[in-house]
Amino acid sequence: MAWSCDELSEIAKSDDLHIAPFRGDSETYGSPTWIWSVRVGDSLYVRAYNGQNSSWYQAAIRENAGRIKAAGMTKEVTFESVDGAINDRIDEAYREKYEGSSYLSAMISDRARSATIEIMPRNPGI
């Protein structure tokens, strides 16, 4: 499933994305964690500041689904680990959106790059 153009635009320009992957029971949402998000093309990406050791990242990879809240929307989503050349484009998106932040260098580091996830809607338009 894909994001609607309006949804993706609103989420991408906001700075309030909270991610809550399912817990081990695949029914209960974990505690929402505020994270940075970026748009590359028609896709939405996030990274774990603490890399693969981040608890929300580990839950997202294990459960592959959860929920996000951003730009006044709550969306049921799936998660997919990302690797390869797309990370260079994601780095550029982080540089553009978060230019001047003291956290930027950590978010484009190898540690964070290794914990990059694409977020996709499970039920677009709902």
Side-chain angles (χ1 to χ4, degrees):
M1 302 220 164
W3 294 102
S4 77
C5 188
D6 289 342
E7 288 172 335
L8 189 56
S9 293
E10 288 300 312
I11 293 169
K13 71 182 180 182
S14 74
D15 192 28
D16 68 345
L17 191 138
H18 288 79
I19 191 167
F22 282 122
R23 295 181 191 267
D25 64 6
S26 299
E27 294 179 11
T28 308
Y29 297 102
S31 298
T33 302
W34 177 76
I35 57 174
W36 286 1
S37 64
V38 294
R39 176 184 184 171
V40 175
D42 292 331
S43 299
L44 180 66
Y45 298 95
V46 296
R47 287 181 171 162
Y49 178 87
N50 290 315
Q52 294 181 8
N53 291 327
S54 172
S55 58
W56 75 259
Y57 172 82
Q58 291 177 6
I61 293 304
R62 183 182 63 246
E63 301 302 320
N64 295 313
R67 169 169 50 196
I68 63 165
K69 293 183 179 184
M73 295 178 267
T74 299
K75 294 290 182 185
E76 301 298 314
V77 295
T78 60
F79 307 115
E80 185 174 314
S81 183
V82 174
D83 195 13
I86 187 65
N87 270 303
D88 294 336
R89 294 182 61 205
I90 296 169
D91 285 351
E92 275 307 307
Y94 272 101
R95 285 185 186 101
E96 185 177 313
K97 185 172 181 179
Y98 298 103
E99 180 182 19
S101 172
S102 60
Y103 298 103
L104 177 59
S105 61
M107 293 305 291
I108 58 175
S109 70
D110 287 343
R111 178 182 69 186
R113 281 175 63 119
S114 74
T116 303
I117 290 179
E118 182 178 358
I119 299 176
M120 296 153 290
R122 280 194 286 161
N123 301 308
I126 295 176

